[in-house]
């Protein structure tokens, strides 16, 4: 059996490039999801665990402007991320 999933919510609608990775001990990140159509606004169902979001605005001129956030998904709960805090 699998645990009840949680939800990742990114309320902003920014154009850019991003991906979500599941992070595991030992530094082995696993790609999970690409933000589609260069839009950041999503509600995504994920299994409980630790994840990382990597996002860069389409208007940014280099990787120095990349926003990286680690977050945890818990069963039955919604986790909201705000980009570029």
């Amino acid at each position: 059996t699998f645990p009840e999933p949680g939800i990742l919510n990114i309320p902003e609608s920014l154009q850019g490039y991003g991906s979500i990775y599941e992070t595991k001990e030992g530094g082995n990140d696993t790609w999970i999801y690409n933000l589609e159509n260069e839009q950041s606004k999503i509600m995504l169902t994920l299994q409980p665990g630790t994840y990382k979001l990597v996002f860069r605005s389409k208007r940014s001129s280099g990787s120095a402007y990349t926003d990286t956030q680690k977050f945890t998904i818990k069963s039955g709960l919604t986790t909201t991320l705000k980009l570029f805090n």
Side-chain angles (χ1 to χ4, degrees), residues 49-82:
T50 304
Y51 296 86
K52 174 173 68 174
L53 168 72
V54 179
F55 183 83
R56 182 172 56 90
S57 171
K58 189 173 185 176
R59 295 182 184 181
S60 297
S61 59
S63 63
Y65 301 100
T66 300
D67 185 19
T68 301
Q69 295 185 44
K70 291 186 180 180
F71 60 96
T72 301
I73 296 293
K74 295 182 181 177
S75 290
L77 298 178
T78 298
T79 300
T80 299
L81 294 182
K82 295 189 184 262

Side-chain angles (χ1 to χ4, degrees), residues 16-85:
Y17 312 96
S19 295
I20 297 171
Y21 301 87
E22 182 177 21
T23 60
K24 297 182 180 179
E25 291 184 30
N28 295 327
D29 295 342
T30 302
W31 170 83
I32 299 293
Y33 184 81
N34 280 334
L35 299 177
E36 295 180 12
N37 301 320
E38 299 175 354
Q39 292 293 321
S40 63
K41 184 175 183 175
I42 62 167
M43 286 193 78
L44 184 65
T45 302
L46 296 170
Q47 286 298 313
T50 304
Y51 296 86
K52 174 173 68 174
L53 168 72
V54 179
F55 183 83
R56 182 172 56 90
S57 171
K58 189 173 185 176
R59 295 182 184 181
S60 297
S61 59
S63 63
Y65 301 100
T66 300
D67 185 19
T68 301
Q69 295 185 44
K70 291 186 180 180
F71 60 96
T72 301
I73 296 293
K74 295 182 181 177
S75 290
L77 298 178
T78 298
T79 300
T80 299
L81 294 182
K82 295 189 184 262
L83 299 176
F84 299 104
N85 287 334

